[in-house]
Amino acid sequence: MSKIRDEVLAANAKYAENFGDKGNLPLPPSRRFAILTCMDARLDPAKYAGLAEGDAHVIRNAGGRASDDVIRSLVISYKLLGTQEWFVVHHTDCGMLLFTNDDMRNLLASSLKTATLDQTGWRDSGGGPGSTEGGYVNWLTFSDNAKSVVDDVIRIRNHPLVPNDIPIYGYIYDVKSGKLVEVPEATTAGKATRWWREMHSNFRFPAAPSGPSAEARTLSSDR
C-alpha cells in the first residue's frame, strides 16, 4: 500500500475508536442548512462554519460552482432532507481563476499528464496522447471571484426546482485570514420571498358548495 493510504487507514482506525454514539445520528442534517463550497484543500467547512457530524450538508466541487449536479444535490437536500438555508462560499486565491475553458481543453488535447504552471502560463510536462473529450466539458472557470458568487446564487435562485422561500447567502472565504466575507449583491439576489411561503402555508382549497351548483340552478331555471 502507498504511504498516503496507510496514513488514511490509520487515522480512520483512531477516529472509529472514539466514534461514540455518532452512529445514532439521524439522516437529515440537524441544523437544516447546506454549504456549497470549493474542493480546495485549504478550506475546512467544518472549522470555518463550526460544524460537527450531522449538522449540515457540505457540497464541494472545483470552484464551488452551481453545476447541474450541485443543483441535483441541493434539491435532494431540501426536498427529502429538510434544509432551509443555503450558503455559496467561494474563496480568495482560487485555482479556477488561473485558467480558461480553452486552456483546459488544449492541455487535455495535448496530454493527460499533470500540467505545470510557470511565468509563461500552463504547459504540459508530459507527453501524449491526450484527448479532445475535454472540449465537450464546461469547466466553469471564472475571472471575477465576487461575480462568480453572484452568478451561482442567481442560478440556484432562479432554478425552477428551487423554492423561493429558501434564502441563499453568498460569501468569499479569505484563505489568508480564515474569515468569511459577504458578497452583498449575491445575498440580495438570494433573498427568500416570504410571500411564497405564506401563500403556500395559508392556502386552502375552497369548500364544495352544499346546494346545487350554479350551472345546475341555471339549467333548472331554463326549464
Side-chain angles (χ1 to χ4, degrees):
M1 292 193 294
S2 74
K3 180 176 180 291
I4 293 296
R5 185 179 178 187
D6 288 342
E7 291 173 350
V8 168
L9 294 178
N12 176 252
K14 185 175 181 180
Y15 175 73
E17 287 177 1
N18 301 296
F19 200 62
D21 63 354
K22 293 186 181 73
N24 297 321
L25 288 170
L27 180 60
S30 63
R31 294 173 64 187
R32 296 191 175 187
F33 74 95
I35 296 174
L36 166 61
T37 195
C38 185
M39 67 183 190
D40 192 294
R42 295 168 293 180
L43 276 61
D44 188 342
K47 291 181 179 177
Y48 74 58
L51 305 180
E53 292 94 331
D55 276 354
H57 287 154
V58 178
I59 304 164
R60 304 183 72 162
N61 65 20
R65 303 309 313 271
S67 63
D68 288 345
D69 192 60
V70 162
I71 298 291
R72 178 187 71 90
S73 297
L74 287 172
V75 170
I76 292 171
S77 176
Y78 94 81
K79 184 66 175 179
L80 302 182
L81 296 168
T83 58
Q84 298 177 348
E85 299 176 74
W86 296 342
F87 290 77
V88 174
V89 182
H90 293 190
H91 66 96
T92 59
D93 195 33
C94 184
M96 298 295 286
L97 293 161
L98 302 179
F99 65 98
T100 65
N101 271 349
D102 286 341
D103 289 336
M104 191 64 169
R105 291 164 180 165
N106 292 335
L107 287 167
L108 288 168
S110 171
S111 170
L112 299 183
K113 302 294 184 181
T114 300
T116 57
L117 180 64
D118 57 28
Q119 293 180 347
T120 63
W122 290 99
R123 63 183 178 85
D124 276 310
S125 55
S131 173
T132 58
E133 287 296 313
Y136 299 101
V137 177
N138 182 353
W139 299 99
L140 301 177
T141 60
F142 52 88
S143 59
D144 185 316
N145 213 346
K147 183 177 183 301
S148 71
V149 176
V150 174
D151 290 345
D152 283 342
V153 168
I154 289 175
R155 177 159 197 258
I156 297 169
R157 172 80 293 152
N158 292 339
H159 198 281
L161 296 180
V162 174
N164 292 341
D165 63 338
I166 295 179
I168 309 166
Y169 314 117
Y171 284 84
I172 293 175
Y173 173 82
D174 188 336
V175 299
K176 300 297 185 184
S177 69
K179 294 180 179 179
L180 289 173
V181 180
E182 186 175 24
V183 181
E185 184 181 351
T187 298
T188 298
K191 188 176 181 180
T193 306
R194 293 301 175 188
W195 67 262
W196 192 96
R197 173 182 288 177
E198 293 169 0
M199 179 184 72
H200 284 73
S201 63
N202 295 328
F203 177 78
R204 297 291 183 274
F205 284 104
S210 56
S213 67
E215 181 181 5
R217 289 195 298 271
T218 301
L219 290 173
S220 177
S221 63
D222 287 344
R223 294 174 183 169

